[in-house]
Amino acid sequence: MNAIISASELADALRSERPPVLLDVRWQLSTAAASGQPFDGRAAYASGHIPGAVFVDLDRELASAPGPRGRHPLPDLDVFGAAMRRAGVSAWTPVVAYDGGIGWAAARAWWLLRWTGHPDVRVLDGGLPAWDGPLEAEAEAEAEASAPAAGDFVPKPAGGAVLDADGAAALARSGVLLDARAGERYRGEVEPIDPVGGHIPGALSAPTADNVDADGRFRPAAELRARFGELGVTRDVPVGVYCGSGVSAAHEVLALEVAGIPAALYVGSWSEWTSDPARPVAVGPDPQ
């Protein structure tokens, strides 16, 4: 099954006899919008969302509190499961996640559902900006009493899809470890968030931004395979991805999935790696 869905395909699916559950996962990495106020995904959802969508809070429901395991460690599975059931997710209901367009947050929801055993989840390619259908404000949704019936999904994590710090370090030597952050952060030229700039020794720079076109839609599968192939990525080589805190890296895992290449996610990512000053750091364009 394709891991992404176009806006036109989504519109058709919503009119079908088995419409998908819609998750609105709007979120921003920056702590403040241009107005100086912190971005409020819940407020953005309330002002207009795809009809029937349920808001999911990335920071509270798709991650645990920040700490030594990183800024967005794995969520408590009871919290995550409850959020998914509240949204109407059942074991075999199709699910589509979308966000404000960049795709990172929706990919985090996609990855978590896939990792915990859901067989039918996709991301809206291009996010909400790609949707040309009607939007629904929260007041309208409440007036129509459109809250979905509770689902029955119980998350059951699969093995092998998650890396810890030691696993990421080992994979950088035995397979391919991709760094999904911007190139200047990989090289250590700037580091706006974490205490140390640079990258995990042996990791290769593969910015997430290069997986999409100017409209924020994924490049064709053949182009993505060629892009990753230039970095030594094939289906025969174990692949892992990290970023700053495990959110944009989920988007890169999704891009690899589109390309037909399975990959593991280092959820703690650079924010966990640099929490231990004993861990080595490489700087510059050279992986080592």
Side-chain angles (χ1 to χ4, degrees):
M1 174 177 292
N2 198 341
I4 58 176
I5 185 171
S6 70
S8 61
E9 290 170 334
L10 176 58
D12 290 341
L14 291 172
R15 292 190 292 266
S16 72
E17 295 182 356
R18 191 167 171 256
V21 171
L22 287 176
L23 306 180
D24 184 311
V25 202
R26 271 178 277 183
W27 170 86
Q28 285 186 7
L29 175 63
S30 59
T31 57
S35 65
Q37 298 299 317
F39 176 78
D40 188 340
R42 187 69 178 77
Y45 165 85
S47 67
H49 52 268
I50 298 176
V54 175
F55 179 70
V56 176
D57 191 313
L58 185 148
D59 289 316
R60 293 176 175 83
E61 297 172 318
L62 304 184
S64 296
R69 293 184 299 134
R71 284 192 305 280
H72 291 104
L74 288 171
D76 180 283
L77 290 182
D78 288 339
V79 172
F80 173 65
M84 294 299 99
R85 291 189 293 274
R86 172 183 59 83
V89 176
S90 289
W92 295 99
T93 54
V95 180
V96 173
Y98 70 88
D99 56 26
I102 196 169
W104 295 0
R108 173 77 173 213
W110 166 85
W111 181 85
L112 278 168
L113 280 165
R114 288 289 301 274
W115 174 61
T116 55
H118 199 285
D120 189 352
V121 54
R122 289 177 283 180
V123 167
L124 175 58
D125 197 15
L128 191 60
W131 177 256
D132 57 5
L135 296 179
E136 175 182 69
E138 187 168 41
E140 297 168 336
E142 291 175 347
E144 296 176 5
S146 59
D152 63 13
F153 178 69
V154 177
K156 297 177 181 178
V162 177
L163 296 171
D164 59 12
D166 290 341
L171 188 59
R173 298 187 297 269
S174 63
V176 177
L177 182 65
L178 301 177
D179 185 319
R181 298 172 300 160
E184 58 267 25
R185 291 184 69 190
Y186 169 88
R187 295 187 295 271
E189 297 165 358
V190 298
E191 182 43 66
I193 305 172
D194 294 307
V196 178
H199 57 270
I200 296 173
L204 304 177
S205 180
T208 296
D210 293 343
N211 296 326
V212 297
D213 61 21
D215 294 325
R217 293 178 174 87
F218 281 100
R219 298 187 182 279
E223 288 186 17
L224 290 171
R225 280 193 294 273
R227 184 215 173 187
F228 293 122
E230 291 176 355
L231 295 168
V233 174
T234 70
R235 290 187 60 87
D236 300 323
V237 176
V239 181
V241 187
Y242 75 95
C243 59
S245 67
V247 177
S248 67
H251 189 271
E252 186 121 302
V253 173
L254 177 56
L256 286 156
E257 179 79 8
V258 172
I261 300 166
L265 176 66
Y266 175 22
V267 180
S269 286
W270 192 243
S271 58
E272 179 190 41
W273 185 269
T274 55
S275 70
D276 182 350
R279 294 192 182 110
V281 170
V283 295
D286 190 322
Q288 302 299 333

